[in-house]
Amino acid sequence: MSALSPILAPSLLAGDHANLAASVSRVADAGLDWLHLDLMDGHFVPNLTFGPETLAALRRAGCRLFFDTHLMLAEPHRYIDAFAKAGANLISVHIEPSCDHAATLARIRQLGCQNGIVLNPGTPAEAILPVLDQVDLVLVMTVQPGFGGQPFRRDMLPKLRQIDTWRRQRGLKFRLEVDGGIDLATGRECREAGADTFVAGTSFYKATDAREFVASFAGL
Ligand code: DX5
Ligand code: ZN
C-alpha cells in the first residue's frame, strides 16, 4: 500500500456542462483540493470535451482548486504551454502518442507545473520505464479513455502493483493515480494495489451526500 495519503480528484466530465461553475463548487464545498480535467481531441480518443479556455474561465470565476489536467491528445506537446498558462497545476500526457516524452515532461516542469505520464489499459507497465524517474505522477487508466461511466477494469490491478513495486525499489516519490470506474469498492482495491490518487467522475457527482462520499474515501 502507498505511504501517501489518499487524494480524491473528481472529474468535471461527469459534472453539469451547462453549469460548470456549480459543478466545480460542489468539489470545493465537499472539502476537496483537486479537480480532474479531461481534455479530449477527437483523434487520440473518439470524443471532444474542453479546451484551455475552460480552465482559464474557471480561474477567472475564482476557482482555486488544484487542476489535475489529463491530456488525451494525439499531439500533447503542442498544447502544454497553453494549459499551463490557462491555470493547470499538473499536466499528464499519454505514453502512446509518438512525441519526445522526456522533453515534454521536462517542459511541463519548466512551466512551473507538476507532470504526469498516463498508460492506456492495453499499454504494458514497461512502456513508462524510460521516464519513471522524471515524473510527479503516474496515471493508470482503469477504462479505455474517451467516456465516463464505464466499468472498472480489474485486470489493471497487477499493473498498479508492478508500478508501485518499482516506486519502492527505486525510492521514487511520484503519486500513483487511477482513472475510470472508480467508486469506494474499486478505489479500495486500487489502494491495496498501491494507488494513492483517485479520479472519480460518475460516483462523485451521483453521490447524494458529497461530504459523506469524501469522508469514506479519506479512510481508504
Ligand atoms: C475517461 C476519463 C475519466 C472519466 C472517469 O476517459 O479520463 O476521467 O471522466 O469517469 P468515471 O469515473 O465516470 O469512470
Ligand atoms: Zn481522466
Side-chain angles (χ1 to χ4, degrees), residues 9 20 29 36 38 48 62 82 94-95 106 108 113-114 117 121 125 146 178 181 184 186 197 214:
L20 289 179
D29 293 348
H36 185 81
D38 287 303
L48 296 157
H94 274 256
I95 193 71
I108 293 170
C113 298
Q114 294 181 39
I117 194 77
V178 284
L184 196 54
T186 58
T197 308
V214 168

Side-chain angles (χ1 to χ4, degrees), residues 11 13 36 38 40 70 72 141 145-149 179-181 199-202:
S11 167
L13 186 62
H36 185 81
D38 287 303
M40 306 186 189
H70 175 193
M72 285 160 272
M141 291 307 302
F147 300 92
D179 183 5
V199 177
T202 308

Side-chain angles (χ1 to χ4, degrees), residues 3-194:
L4 299 172
S5 51
I7 288 179
L8 180 61
S11 167
L12 191 57
L13 186 62
D16 178 359
H17 291 230
N19 203 346
L20 289 179
S23 297
V24 165
S25 295
R26 184 175 161 93
V27 177
D29 293 348
L32 294 169
D33 299 322
W34 280 41
L35 179 72
H36 185 81
L37 292 144
D38 287 303
L39 288 306
M40 306 186 189
D41 66 353
H43 293 278
F44 181 69
V45 288
N47 198 4
L48 296 157
T49 53
F50 326 106
E53 179 52 31
T54 310
L55 278 73
L58 291 172
R59 288 294 187 221
R60 281 198 300 275
C63 178
R64 296 208 173 140
L65 292 166
F66 182 94
F67 282 175
D68 169 23
T69 313
H70 175 193
L71 302 188
M72 285 160 272
L73 311 178
E75 298 184 294
H77 52 287
R78 290 181 58 196
Y79 299 96
I80 53 177
D81 285 56
F83 281 106
K85 191 167 171 223
N89 298 102
L90 185 152
I91 302 177
S92 296
V93 297
H94 274 256
I95 193 71
E96 295 84 8
S98 53
C99 72
D100 185 339
H101 288 94
T104 302
L105 292 164
R107 177 72 185 151
I108 293 170
R109 281 187 176 165
Q110 204 178 50
L111 290 164
C113 298
Q114 294 181 39
N115 67 23
I117 194 77
V118 193
L119 305 92
N120 277 342
T123 304
E126 288 73 16
I128 60 165
L129 273 175
V131 297
L132 204 59
D133 61 354
Q134 301 166 43
V135 295
D136 299 303
L137 177 138
V138 172
L139 168 51
V140 172
M141 291 307 302
T142 44
V143 297
Q144 184 64 25
F147 300 92
Q150 303 181 71
F152 173 73
R153 292 265 309 254
R154 191 157 281 103
D155 56 332
M156 294 300 107
L157 293 172
K159 192 190 286 186
L160 281 174
R161 284 191 206 98
Q162 174 64 80
I163 295 169
D164 182 43
T165 300
W166 287 332
R167 174 166 60 175
R168 273 185 280 105
Q169 285 173 345
R170 297 164 187 226
L172 297 170
K173 304 275 181 238
F174 58 81
R175 296 200 72 96
L176 185 49
E177 183 174 53
V178 284
D179 183 5
I182 301 298
D183 57 20
L184 196 54
T186 58
R188 189 171 289 124
E189 288 183 71
C190 292
R191 178 80 173 144
E192 280 161 12

